[in-house]
Amino acid sequence: MTTTVPSTSSEPVYSDAVAARMEPIFDRVKTVIPSVEWPVFAPEVDAILRLKEERNAVILAHNYQTPEIFHCVADIVGDSLALAREAVETEADCIVMCGVHFMAETAKLLNPDKTVLIPDMNAGCSLADSITGADIRLLRETYPGVPVVTYVNTSADVKAESDICCTSGNAVAVVESLGTDRVLFLPDEYLANYVAGQTDVDIISWKGHCEVHERFTPTEIESYRAGVPGLVVIAHPECPPDVLDAADFVGSTAQMINHVKNERPPKVLLLTECSMSDNVAAELPEIEFVRPCNLCPHMKLITLPKIRHSLETMSQEILIDSTLIAPARRAVERMLEIR
Ligand code: 13P
Ligand code: SF4
């Protein structure tokens, strides 16, 4: 028997009816969300599912979103590449991007006529903040004729100055698709370094870093390996080179997840944002995830109440300067043409 909590605002409340409707959804997350916390999430999930239908909206969620978003309200989940691809496919009128600002901008570039919402406009990214369109124009003067590959973790302003975008899941293929001896690869220095190790193309990099992945260290990995025999260490290529050297597998967030699903190592350390371990653990409870928790403060700005609020009010809408849309979109579309 559940108790109905009286509401003093228009916020949704937990009731027996909500509990019953949400029971199958709780089943998906019950190994990672304690049952005492579910009454807080359930009415929000219930309200969001209803609003999605009313607004003909689709929710795209990055692998770093928390389980109550990732498993309970999202229609499409994935890495940056999958979210960009799925944004092209959707027939919904409205896209809610549960991720960070550059992901919502990418969805808008690919769907200029749709409404794209981000539940918190302040959800930024240290990589996107590390470079501007003006920086790219200066680099082109310094390296005339060298094509510019930019990570999708950049603003529309930067994409508009680029030849082609890439994600961590396709970076090597994108670089090699250009058929040149050299490329400017911006702004993630560590991803650039990783790509340089996988190709003969000469890579010129920039000093941008992800504030989440740059904090991992080889010493940390060694101490986890010493304490957990048989531990398999899987790292994202935004980690520093000495961390990647110490890992057993390196890949984008989707490649990391697929590796765990295919190989089923009994004990895993995912060197990336910590919600991803919770999301995979909800599906694979038999695997032990060792969690050195590095949270992305930007990803964590997205919450269920903010998703509900943006859908209720159709606020926090992504708008892009009309002069940037065509060139920025071209750089993203060139990337999507590479399979
Ligand atoms: P991917 O999901 O494309 O691997 O990107 C990781 C990331 O840090 C996104 O912000
Ligand atoms: Fe940016 Fe790093 Fe956060 Fe991803 S995890 S959004 S790259 S700061």
Side-chain angles (χ1 to χ4, degrees), residues 232-236 247-250 256 259-260 265 268-272:
V232 170
V233 179
I234 302 178
H236 193 277
D248 300 305
F249 177 81
V250 176
M256 295 170 82
H259 187 78
V260 175
V268 179
L269 169 56
L270 297 181
L271 294 174
T272 195

Side-chain angles (χ1 to χ4, degrees), residues 18-336:
V18 170
R21 275 198 298 279
M22 293 298 103
E23 205 180 321
I25 294 184
F26 182 52
D27 234 36
R28 300 176 198 162
V29 287
K30 65 180 184 216
T31 57
V32 289
I33 295 182
S35 54
V36 288
E37 287 179 22
W38 186 240
V40 176
F41 295 135
E44 294 288 352
V45 171
D46 190 41
I48 291 167
L49 297 183
R50 182 177 38 77
L51 282 161
K52 267 201 307 188
E53 278 199 38
E54 283 171 20
R55 303 292 194 199
N56 188 23
V58 66
I59 296 186
L60 271 51
H62 186 261
N63 291 325
Y64 295 161
Q65 292 296 298
T66 45
E68 70 280 9
I69 295 173
F70 186 91
H71 287 293
C72 301
V73 298
D75 299 289
I76 310 279
V77 295
D79 65 359
S80 312
L81 182 59
L83 296 183
R85 284 201 194 288
E86 293 293 341
V88 189
E89 300 297 324
T90 183
E91 286 178 6
D93 297 320
C94 169
I95 297 172
V96 183
M97 179 57 77
C98 295
V100 292
H101 192 270
F102 74 79
M103 295 176 179
E105 261 191 352
T106 304
K108 179 69 179 176
L109 288 172
L110 296 167
N111 294 279
D113 299 329
K114 289 191 198 293
T115 303
V116 176
L117 307 176
I118 180 158
D120 191 320
M121 223 20 113
N122 296 316
C125 169
S126 65
L127 278 167
D129 287 345
S130 73
I131 194 159
T132 64
D135 292 326
I136 308 253
R137 289 193 289 278
L138 276 174
L139 283 164
R140 282 200 190 272
E141 281 174 26
T142 313
Y143 299 98
V146 178
V148 175
V149 178
T150 52
Y151 200 25
V152 284
N153 299 39
T154 47
S155 64
D157 176 37
V158 167
K159 289 183 174 79
E161 298 290 340
S162 309
D163 292 289
I164 187 166
C165 289
C166 74
T167 72
S168 54
N170 63 10
V172 177
V174 167
V175 164
E176 295 192 338
S177 76
L178 297 170
T180 55
D181 296 340
R182 283 179 114 186
V183 300
L184 281 148
F185 188 98
L186 317 163
D188 188 345
E189 183 185 20
Y190 298 148
L191 179 62
N193 186 81
Y194 175 70
V195 172
Q198 313 277 312
T199 180
D200 291 334
V201 179
D202 185 19
I203 305 283
I204 305 163
S205 62
W206 184 255
K207 282 224 171 293
H209 298 145
C210 162
E211 68 190 83
V212 177
H213 292 92
E214 72 176 348
R215 298 209 303 270
F216 292 111
T217 63
T219 318
E220 193 180 3
I221 299 175
E222 283 324 307
S223 73
Y224 279 110
R225 282 200 199 274
V228 186
L231 184 68
V232 170
V233 179
I234 302 178
H236 193 277
E238 289 170 11
C239 295
D242 50 2
V243 170
L244 300 185
D245 288 345
D248 300 305
F249 177 81
V250 176
S252 76
T253 55
Q255 291 162 347
M256 295 170 82
I257 294 170
N258 288 340
H259 187 78
V260 175
K261 286 185 174 169
N262 294 338
E263 302 298 321
R264 306 277 171 135
K267 294 170 194 171
V268 179
L269 169 56
L270 297 181
L271 294 174
T272 195
E273 214 274 351
C274 55
S275 289
M276 199 168 103
S277 296
D278 295 337
N279 290 331
V280 190
E283 286 182 60
L284 303 173
E286 70 279 13
I287 294 180
E288 184 189 328
F289 288 88
V290 176
R291 291 183 175 83
C293 208
N294 284 356
L295 280 172
C296 172
H298 312 288
M299 289 278 179
K300 296 302 85 119
L301 287 176
I302 309 300
T303 62
L304 290 176
K306 288 183 195 171
I307 298 169
R308 171 175 55 79
H309 184 259
S310 65
L311 272 170
E312 265 167 4
T313 56
M314 295 301 277
S315 58
Q316 309 293 314
E317 182 177 357
I318 297 285
L319 300 170
I320 302 177
D321 181 334
S322 59
T323 61
L324 299 178
I325 291 181
R329 179 186 170 127
R330 180 72 202 122
V332 177
E333 283 180 341
R334 273 190 82 184
M335 166 185 87
L336 295 179

